[in-house]
């Protein structure tokens, strides 16, 4: 079984959106996967995703209101096969935190989308509802690319 951890800054916008989308897409494709999401920061621990992320997910029949923010731990680098970051700052944090003997493969979400490698999923936190629509669309594109990468492996 494949295990994937999605990572962003606070774990209330991008990473829970990606986790929710992957739940649906994995089920659609029959992929047996363990999923979670986390943030590099600890200030939202235990909180539900941003209300705007929840609303966009609900609009797309993908509830994420049951998710709760948490901070990445050292154990995550051994528990998950893949840790997928939303932007370069998150990736830098991951590389700094990653133990030398870690078994997780690190990547950006868009590294799995031909032509978008290295690009960030824009953080919608300071935006409005339209930014959460874009976040959803970007995460969906990235998740589809990740699924295609996993299917090739």
């Amino acid at each position: 079984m494949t295990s994937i951890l999605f990572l962003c800054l606070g774990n209330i916008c991008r990473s829970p959106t990606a986790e929710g989308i992957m739940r649906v897409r994995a089920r659609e494709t029959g992929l047996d996967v363990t999923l979670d999401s986390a943030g590099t920061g600890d200030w939202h621990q235990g909180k539900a995703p941003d209300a705007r992320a929840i609303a966009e997910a609900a609009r797309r029949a993908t509830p994420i209101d049951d998710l709760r923010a948490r901070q990445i731990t050292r154990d995550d680098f051994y528990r998950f096969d893949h840790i997928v970051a939303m932007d370069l700052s998150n990736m830098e944090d991951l590389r700094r935190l990653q133990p030398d003997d870690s078994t997780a493969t690190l990547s950006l979400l868009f590294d799995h989308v031909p032509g978008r490698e290295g690009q960030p999923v824009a953080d919608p936190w300071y935006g409005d509802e339209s930014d959460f629509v874009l976040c959803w669309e970007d995460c969906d594109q990235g998740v589809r690319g990740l699924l295609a990468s996993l299917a090739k492996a």
Side-chain angles (χ1 to χ4, degrees), residues 21 25 28 112-113 139-149:
I21 293 169
R25 299 288 177 237
E28 289 171 353
H112 305 280
V113 179
C139 286
D140 191 33
Q141 184 182 27
V143 163
R144 289 174 188 269
L146 178 55
L147 280 167
S149 296

Side-chain angles (χ1 to χ4, degrees), residues 8-9 12-18 86-87 90 121-124 135 139:
C8 67
L9 186 60
I12 60 168
C13 298
R14 296 172 290 175
S15 56
T17 296
M86 298 296 132
D87 63 34
N90 302 146
V121 174
D123 190 345
C135 176
C139 286

Side-chain angles (χ1 to χ4, degrees), residues 11-47:
N11 192 213
I12 60 168
C13 298
R14 296 172 290 175
S15 56
T17 296
E19 179 185 353
I21 293 169
M22 181 58 97
R23 273 194 226 163
V24 171
R25 299 288 177 237
R27 194 169 34 249
E28 289 171 353
T29 61
L31 178 67
D32 191 15
V33 64
T34 298
L35 300 171
D36 200 357
S37 58
T40 57
D42 65 354
W43 51 92
H44 296 296
Q45 287 192 97
K47 294 182 183 174

